[in-house]
Amino acid sequence: MKSHRIPPRFEPRRTGNAFIIAAMLLSLCILSLIKARYCSVPNAKSQALAELEPMEVSGLATQTGGGEAALPEDEEDEGNTKTAQKIVAEKTAIDLSKPICSETSKRSNVCEAEGDIRLQASSHTILLHPSLTDGEWKTKPYCRKHDPPAMKNIKEWTMKPFSSSSEPPPPPQCTVNYTVPALVFSIGGFTGNLFHDFTDVIVPLFISSYQFRGEVQFVVADIKPWWVSKFMVILKQLSNYDIIDANNDDQEAVRCFPRVIVGLSFHKELGVDPSKTPTGYSILEFKAMLRKAYGLERPTAAPWGDPWDIRRKPRMLIISRKKTRAFLNERGMTDMAMSLGFDVRVAEPDITTDLAKFARLVNSADVMIGVHGAGLTNMVFLPEGAVLIQVVPMGGLDWLARDTFGQPSPDMQLKYMDYRIQADESTLSEQYPGDHPVLKDPYSIHKQGWNALSKTYLDNQNVRPHLGRLRNTLMDALKHLPHGRKEV
């Protein structure tokens, strides 16, 4: 006999069976968990309710736009009602954790809500379904929140929850229902200055509304009728509906919207950051919108007709000023430019200028030149490939010139150049001795604040560019003009 036992052959098979049994038990546990997670709603209708937003569950009868939402057939079923209420409570807790207002830039705050929105324009109040917020939010919808002088005359808007239908006082009843979002903004502040018209309002309005392709209702606060009239063609490009004048709206009007946005998004001076827009649109789409609004014919600075026709002269537009920062040798500048082959036009835009007519003049130019000021904002109408020359007054204002018109130019597909005024080209040299800080140490004036800087270098200076230096700048500009057929 052998001295030791040999293990039975069937023991490996026993081990395999144990693994199979363990796997089956694990599968049963997983199936039980899945059933508990996805099959806990009493019936299909209750599951459908779980997918509704809080406003849709608790206020189905307040849907706007003429559509009526159907109530569940078993709305009186106590079990389903309790389930729906529980779901509403859970979703409400989530919604209340989201802020209504947020900072979109150092210049702008935007408040937004979606659901049961009741807007009372005359009182600058927006009432929200209690599921959207449990607090009160206040904001001034103008893109210059860092600037107290600009904001002091902007009226504040309040967003707060209204009482539920079961609590007194009852929420105000809708007098007008809308199916499109409301966009609330102010045209107070510094509007009336073309630069601020565009950088504080019109470009931010484009950023905030272009995504809706016209299906948005503008609610305009701090209204200036002349301003609305001046820019109406742009407003009509961005909204298919007549604006609501918040200042003069019916005091009894309660306008109900499915969504509201209070305030405009600001990205940068005269600019749009495509990475921050919903569909990636940029300042080029903004310029295309302007061309459509004003019927501008030149998308690019390519020559009209035959590119080899030497009789066709490039056009230069001089933005003239009369009160401050005026060209004192405008006639000499014009004659010199004409000697280089330019077709020269001189124009002085102001607050009363017919913007449509002036936009067509700017769009006809290949080169636009002007001293730093609001008139250069007309660069938005220049065709792509055109040259913008900013004449920078003396006084250490390079940073101001760069931020306002220099940096926006490349995004607009414009060639930017500057001509920096020297002391002997400025009337400041006639007002101050050569060793005065105004001439020798401009930054000592800057340290005194914006008012001192503005009064000294912007409000009290005219310029007389050296024609020889300016000639070299214009010759460089000619080199940058594109050649080829006009794009249609």
Side-chain angles (χ1 to χ4, degrees), residues 348-362:
E348 181 185 8
D350 59 30
I351 196 170
T352 63
T353 297
D354 182 335
L355 191 59
K357 183 177 180 180
F358 199 82
R360 289 191 288 272
L361 174 61
V362 175

Side-chain angles (χ1 to χ4, degrees), residues 237-466:
Q237 287 293 315
L238 297 174
S239 174
N240 298 331
Y241 307 94
D242 293 337
I243 67 168
I244 296 173
D245 177 355
N247 294 32
N248 299 296
D249 199 27
D250 187 344
Q251 292 187 354
E252 302 300 322
V254 178
R255 301 178 182 274
C256 294
F257 294 90
R259 180 182 177 187
V260 66
I261 302 169
V262 184
L264 305 176
S265 292
F266 177 91
H267 290 172
K268 50 189 175 179
E269 301 288 9
L270 296 178
V272 179
D273 183 348
S275 69
K276 295 181 180 179
T277 59
T279 58
Y281 47 85
S282 70
I283 197 68
L284 295 181
E285 281 78 14
F286 175 77
K287 291 185 67 176
M289 181 271 294
L290 292 180
R291 288 196 299 271
K292 182 179 179 181
Y294 291 107
L296 307 182
E297 298 181 354
R298 298 181 72 203
T300 71
W304 296 92
D306 186 352
W308 303 105
D309 185 354
I310 61 174
R311 295 171 298 179
R312 194 276 175 185
K313 297 180 179 181
R315 177 170 290 180
M316 186 174 88
L317 174 63
I318 299 176
I319 300 295
S320 181
R321 298 176 62 96
K322 292 294 185 286
K323 295 181 180 180
T324 64
R325 286 163 276 155
F327 287 123
L328 298 180
N329 57 343
E330 201 169 83
R331 182 69 258 179
M333 292 171 57
T334 301
D335 291 343
M336 181 270 291
M338 291 176 65
S339 73
L340 294 178
F342 281 105
D343 169 20
V344 182
R345 304 297 171 92
V346 180
E348 181 185 8
D350 59 30
I351 196 170
T352 63
T353 297
D354 182 335
L355 191 59
K357 183 177 180 180
F358 199 82
R360 289 191 288 272
L361 174 61
V362 175
N363 186 248
S364 73
D366 302 293
V367 177
M368 187 173 81
I369 182 171
V371 184
H372 172 82
L376 292 184
T377 309
N378 288 286
M379 66 191 286
V380 297
F381 303 119
L382 284 171
E384 295 172 17
V387 178
L388 173 67
I389 304 174
Q390 178 174 200
V391 176
V392 184
M394 79 159 297
L397 302 179
D398 294 351
W399 62 273
L400 180 61
R402 178 187 65 246
D403 292 351
T404 49
F405 303 112
Q407 290 183 346
S409 294
D411 288 347
M412 295 187 193
Q413 300 295 306
L414 302 176
K415 172 61 181 177
Y416 174 77
M417 304 175 68
D418 60 29
Y419 181 96
R420 300 176 187 180
I421 293 295
Q422 298 175 352
D424 61 347
E425 298 173 292
S426 169
T427 57
L428 291 176
S429 63
E430 302 167 4
Q431 303 173 49
Y432 299 94
D435 60 351
H436 196 281
V438 166
L439 302 178
K440 289 295 185 180
D441 187 16
Y443 295 104
S444 67
I445 308 300
H446 290 206
K447 291 177 182 178
Q448 298 176 30
W450 172 257
N451 288 338
L453 180 156
S454 177
K455 182 178 179 180
T456 304
Y457 296 113
L458 297 179
D459 300 340
N460 197 34
Q461 178 177 188
N462 292 321
V463 300
R464 186 182 290 105
H466 287 309

